[in-house]
Amino acid sequence: MHKKRFFTSSFAALCLFSAAVHGQSSSAHQEYLQFAQNDHGEVRLDDGRTLYYTVKSRSLENGVEVIRAQVDDPTLADFVDYSSFIITLDHTKQEMSGYLETGSGQFRLQRPLDKSENVFWRRIQPPKMEDRILKNLDTGFMGRLNQEAVGEKDASGRYVIDVFIGFSEQAAQDVGNINTEAQMYVETVNEALNNSQVEGVYLRLVGVGVSPHNPGVVTSVLQDGKEWFKDDIARYAPDLIGLVQRPTDAPGSAGGWGYVPGDIVVIGAPWPGAYRHEVGHNVGGMHCKSEGDTGYNYGFSVRQGRGTAQCGNDLSYYSSPLVMDDEGNVLGTTHSQDMARLWRERSAAMSANRIHTVPFPGEGGWPLTLQAEDYLQFSDTTAGNQGGAYRSDDVDIEATSDSGGGYNVGWISDGEWLAYSANIPAAGEYVISYRVASPSGGGRIQFEKQGGSPVYGGVDVPPTGGWGNWTTIQHTVNLPARPAKYCSGDEKRRLQP
């Protein structure tokens, strides 16, 4: 695994303006039934056009059905594998959210006041973007990003970036169903990653919330929002936080704001496409490349109205030199416009921003075995990997002589630590077991919560007669029902109730 490259921290904004509304429509209930029951149908746009859709896939996420579809858009006629239509359905309430991108504009489902009123697909004008630079004051976050990470993967082996979406009460009123709306935001990113051939990572919605605060789409929300939703953040441990506001006339308002890089964004409720753009900023992306700009974290645009997520945000793509549009235009360059590369490089670090508390699909089996070499974070006092195996950071790893093979961590000094993810299913006593080897003993392993306090317990390492002579040691600790971070050790660690 190679070292990640990270760019200068900054701040970016996306300004958007909505268009006037007119055209044909149907009732909200009819629209819901169409997508719930049919894999083919029509979408009537407020510009007078009628497009026909075909469902590509249906899945269930957090009780919300996610539909990905294609439309017969004549302006994107040759985009065979391009998917740009997302519908999310709440079958309990028979409500839905939707976001459609065409070659001539982006559309969202207009929310009616009640289910009997007509709905229509309203056009959103392409965004106008401007950069503002602001250094990220969270040095802890920046340090984690610049540290090589294994990341958090589900059973399929993909990195999972957990997301929490917090709405103001006013924004929640505007969008209607916050569950379908939040899931739709997340899927705009997942669809762009899929279109851009970025595999092995996806965003997962783990929670939604509502706050009475609505200053608007301004930069102060990025600081204040973590306080408004601190209980939700503690509960869901999201890697990324998205905030949704009703736009106001406050100074500095925009369509969206996001740290570059960072773990929090804010968007205006009328502009769902801003979420994909701002999350691109969180990963480290900038806007369109200008003369003199360096790095490959820029968006790409073929021309006006044909830009990727960070440069125009017209198409459901992140820039990539490996992908072409329907006209045969390559949507990036290897030297400066390759957001897909940045996503691949940062997926592990982004997924490890917080230790997940919502179990991954299929997760939860006990006893739980954690491999010492698969740490999420570390502190090591010496430069380089003295063992020369498995990873290329400063933790010392070598091939192990213990039964079962694999690797062990060695050359451990006082004060060094390794951090791991473990979802503790219930508060109570747990037996922590370690596989260790030491010719003369004398060391001690300490087990503690992330951040160093409280210390749950420790155990002395006995002499085993040689570096290749392995034994199991264990101790009992009392743990709360939450993730833990623990430190030092040698090869295999076994956590069992």
Side-chain angles (χ1 to χ4, degrees):
M1 187 178 294
H2 60 278
K3 292 280 188 180
K4 307 292 186 296
R5 179 179 179 182
F6 297 96
F7 299 92
T8 303
S9 173
S10 59
F11 210 67
L14 171 65
C15 298
L16 306 111
F17 302 91
S18 60
V21 175
H22 60 279
Q24 297 175 309
S25 58
S26 62
S27 76
H29 189 60
Q30 288 173 331
E31 200 78 0
Y32 162 80
L33 289 176
Q34 174 181 228
F35 290 102
Q37 299 173 356
N38 303 308
D39 285 344
H40 304 274
E42 63 181 32
V43 179
R44 294 181 177 181
L45 307 181
D46 71 340
D47 62 7
R49 290 185 296 158
T50 297
L51 300 180
Y52 295 88
Y53 72 85
T54 299
V55 171
K56 292 180 61 180
S57 67
R58 293 176 182 264
S59 61
L60 192 65
E61 306 290 344
N62 303 303
V64 171
E65 183 177 12
V66 176
I67 299 174
R68 293 182 173 87
Q70 284 181 305
V71 293
D72 65 337
D73 181 6
T75 59
L76 297 172
D78 298 323
F79 246 140
V80 178
D81 297 321
Y82 179 65
S83 181
S84 58
F85 193 12
I86 297 169
I87 306 100
T88 50
L89 305 177
D90 183 333
H91 293 303
T92 301
K93 296 182 178 180
Q94 296 195 347
E95 296 174 344
M96 64 177 286
S97 297
Y99 184 62
L100 168 64
E101 295 175 276
T102 74
S104 58
Q106 302 168 341
F107 297 79
R108 66 163 300 151
L109 189 64
Q110 173 69 34
R111 176 183 175 255
L113 296 178
D114 62 58
K115 294 179 183 178
S116 66
E117 292 190 14
N118 288 339
V119 299
F120 45 79
W121 291 85
R122 181 187 68 185
R123 177 173 178 152
I124 306 169
Q125 272 192 295
K128 175 185 177 182
M129 295 174 288
E130 68 173 283
D131 274 317
R132 298 186 190 180
I133 304 301
L134 180 68
K135 287 188 176 181
N136 193 334
L137 301 179
D138 187 350
T139 56
F141 176 79
M142 295 301 296
R144 292 193 299 274
L145 275 183
N146 283 284
Q147 186 178 87
E148 185 179 14
V150 170
E152 295 197 312
K153 297 181 179 180
D154 65 9
S156 72
R158 294 182 297 167
Y159 293 114
V160 183
I161 300 175
D162 284 342
V163 176
F164 170 81
I165 303 290
F167 295 82
S168 71
E169 291 177 350
Q170 294 92 326
Q173 292 172 2
D174 293 341
V175 304
N177 191 313
I178 62 174
N179 294 300
T180 58
E181 191 78 3
Q183 191 67 53
M184 182 181 72
Y185 298 155
V186 169
E187 297 308 325
T188 63
V189 178
N190 288 333
E191 197 73 314
L193 291 174
N194 182 64
N195 288 333
S196 307
Q197 300 179 16
V198 178
E199 301 175 347
V201 60
Y202 66 97
L203 272 60
R204 178 182 70 145
L205 181 66
V206 292
V208 297
V210 177
S211 161
H213 303 284
N214 193 89
V217 190
V218 292
T219 59
S220 61
V221 172
L222 300 180
Q223 295 292 330
D224 298 337
K226 290 187 177 182
E227 180 63 25
W228 302 339
F229 293 101
K230 64 180 180 181
D231 292 338
D232 294 299
I233 295 170
R235 176 183 178 187
Y236 297 113
D239 300 304
L240 295 178
I241 301 160
L243 304 176
V244 187
Q245 295 272 294
R246 176 186 289 174
T248 66
D249 293 328
S253 292
W257 287 99
Y259 282 117
V260 186
D263 65 350
I264 187 168
V265 305
V266 58
I267 66 170
W271 309 302
Y275 183 73
R276 174 181 64 204
H277 175 92
E278 299 303 338
V279 168
H281 285 319
N282 274 181
V283 177
M286 301 298 286
H287 283 156
C288 308
K289 185 179 184 298
S290 300
E291 185 176 354
D293 289 336
T294 59
Y296 49 86
N297 57 331
Y298 293 90
F300 183 86
S301 180
V302 176
R303 61 177 181 272
Q304 183 70 28
R306 278 274 182 165
T308 59
Q310 300 310 118
C311 184
N313 200 22
D314 308 298
L315 299 174
S316 181
Y317 282 96
Y318 289 103
S319 59
S320 172
L322 304 179
V323 177
M324 291 189 298
D325 68 5
D326 58 311
E327 299 175 343
N329 301 301
V330 178
L331 298 180
T333 60
T334 57
H335 55 82
S336 59
Q337 293 147 312
D338 196 352
M339 279 294 298
R341 172 185 171 186
L342 190 66
W343 268 102
R344 295 184 188 103
E345 291 180 344
R346 289 195 171 179
S347 293
M350 297 297 289
S351 71
N353 186 33
R354 293 181 178 88
I355 299 173
H356 72 285
T357 59
V358 178
F360 294 154
E363 188 180 55
W366 288 79
L368 176 64
T369 300
L370 303 174
Q371 301 294 336
E373 66 272 17
D374 289 334
Y375 47 86
L376 296 178
Q377 299 171 23
F378 70 91
S379 176
D380 196 284
T381 59
T382 56
N385 179 353
Q386 296 186 55
Y390 191 61
R391 297 174 68 164
S392 58
D393 54 31
D394 292 335
V395 177
D396 308 309
I397 303 172
E398 64 182 349
T400 188
S401 60
D402 196 12
S403 58
Y407 302 93
N408 65 257
V409 175
W411 294 273
I412 298 172
S413 300
D414 288 345
E416 296 183 342
W417 52 260
L418 303 171
Y420 304 83
S421 168
N423 281 306
I424 310 302
E429 288 190 344
Y430 289 81
V431 176
I432 314 297
S433 302
Y434 312 86
R435 291 288 287 171
V436 299
S438 176
S440 57
R444 183 173 177 82
I445 298 174
Q446 182 166 286
F447 189 92
E448 62 188 38
K449 179 180 178 292
Q450 185 170 1
S453 178
V455 175
Y456 296 118
V459 59
D460 293 327
V461 177
T464 66
W467 294 119
N469 297 332
W470 294 88
T471 190
T472 299
I473 60 175
Q474 59 184 215
H475 60 127
T476 300
V477 298
N478 213 303
L479 299 178
R482 61 187 180 191
K485 173 181 180 179
Y486 52 96
C487 309
S488 83
D490 280 296
E491 198 262 332
K492 295 181 181 177
R493 300 174 179 211
R494 186 173 180 83
L495 181 62
Q496 76 183 53

